[in-house]
Amino acid sequence: LVTLAQVFGMMITMPIASSLYTRIGARPMLAIGFVVLAAGIFGFATLEMGTSLWWYRGLLFVVGVGMALTSVPSQAATMETITFEDTAAASSLISTMRQFASAAGVAVISTILIGRINAQTALVDLATATPDSFLHAAFTGYHHTFIISGCMAVLGAFLVVMFRKGSGKNLSTEMIRKDAKTEQPEPAL
């Protein structure tokens, strides 16, 4: 039940993100989303054994908001360039890529986590070690992993801002403006 906070963050933000997308476009939303996501992830690096579950829930909520702000524009920007005839194939390909990226992301972060925990555990002096020594080593490994993950989110924000394609304008915003200009009023009867 603790992790429902992340779901609530996404549920509340997704409708807002959908309406924002048509107003400000994918690039600003992705940049903001990655920064919000990074803030939540960096917050996890502060967790300790005695940390309140409400702080944990708050961080999960922030991560949910960041995920909504990144998933809505990335999905919409990807699908808006697809022709109607190619929608089914593109949707399947996007779903497959999302599943692969999720699995690869979990594998990479898990590998980093295990490596950091092992590195921290190796520093524990076995002659004077207590159970708390190993617990501290594990928490330090988690903290390092969250810091690395937060840096990846910051890198995502940086890449979104730095890489430009074409004019750098958002296609949906251009299409909406184009449609608004070309709409003809219906003749009065």
Side-chain angles (χ1 to χ4, degrees), residues 142-183:
Y142 274 97
H143 293 163
H144 290 173
T145 304
F146 283 124
I147 290 168
I148 292 167
S149 299
C151 288
M152 289 179 185
V154 170
L155 177 63
F158 176 76
L159 292 176
V160 165
V161 171
M162 296 309 295
F163 286 136
R164 296 195 156 229
K165 181 178 179 183
S167 66
K169 295 179 183 173
N170 181 276
L171 290 173
S172 67
T173 307
E174 289 177 14
M175 290 167 60
I176 289 167
R177 289 184 187 137
K178 184 178 174 184
D179 289 344
K181 288 178 185 175
T182 59
E183 281 184 21

Side-chain angles (χ1 to χ4, degrees), residues 46-62:
T46 67
L47 297 178
E48 294 293 339
M49 280 297 290
T51 303
S52 166
L53 282 178
W54 287 106
W55 177 245
Y56 180 65
R57 288 179 183 115
L59 291 173
L60 283 172
F61 185 84
V62 171

Side-chain angles (χ1 to χ4, degrees), residues 61-162:
F61 185 84
V62 171
V63 167
V65 169
M67 289 178 69
L69 289 172
T70 56
S71 65
V72 168
S74 63
Q75 177 89 14
T78 302
M79 291 301 290
E80 72 187 0
T81 60
I82 306 300
T83 63
F84 179 76
E85 295 79 23
D86 294 333
T87 301
S91 180
S92 299
L93 181 60
I94 290 168
S95 180
T96 301
M97 289 173 57
R98 187 182 317 128
Q99 292 295 322
F100 174 77
S102 295
V106 168
V108 168
I109 296 300
S110 297
T111 302
I112 292 169
L113 175 63
I114 297 302
R116 296 310 311 149
I117 289 175
N118 287 342
Q120 293 301 311
T121 305
L123 297 175
V124 174
D125 182 13
L126 296 178
T128 60
T130 64
D132 284 343
S133 303
F134 291 102
L135 187 61
H136 177 71
F139 265 93
T140 303
Y142 274 97
H143 293 163
H144 290 173
T145 304
F146 283 124
I147 290 168
I148 292 167
S149 299
C151 288
M152 289 179 185
V154 170
L155 177 63
F158 176 76
L159 292 176
V160 165
V161 171
M162 296 309 295

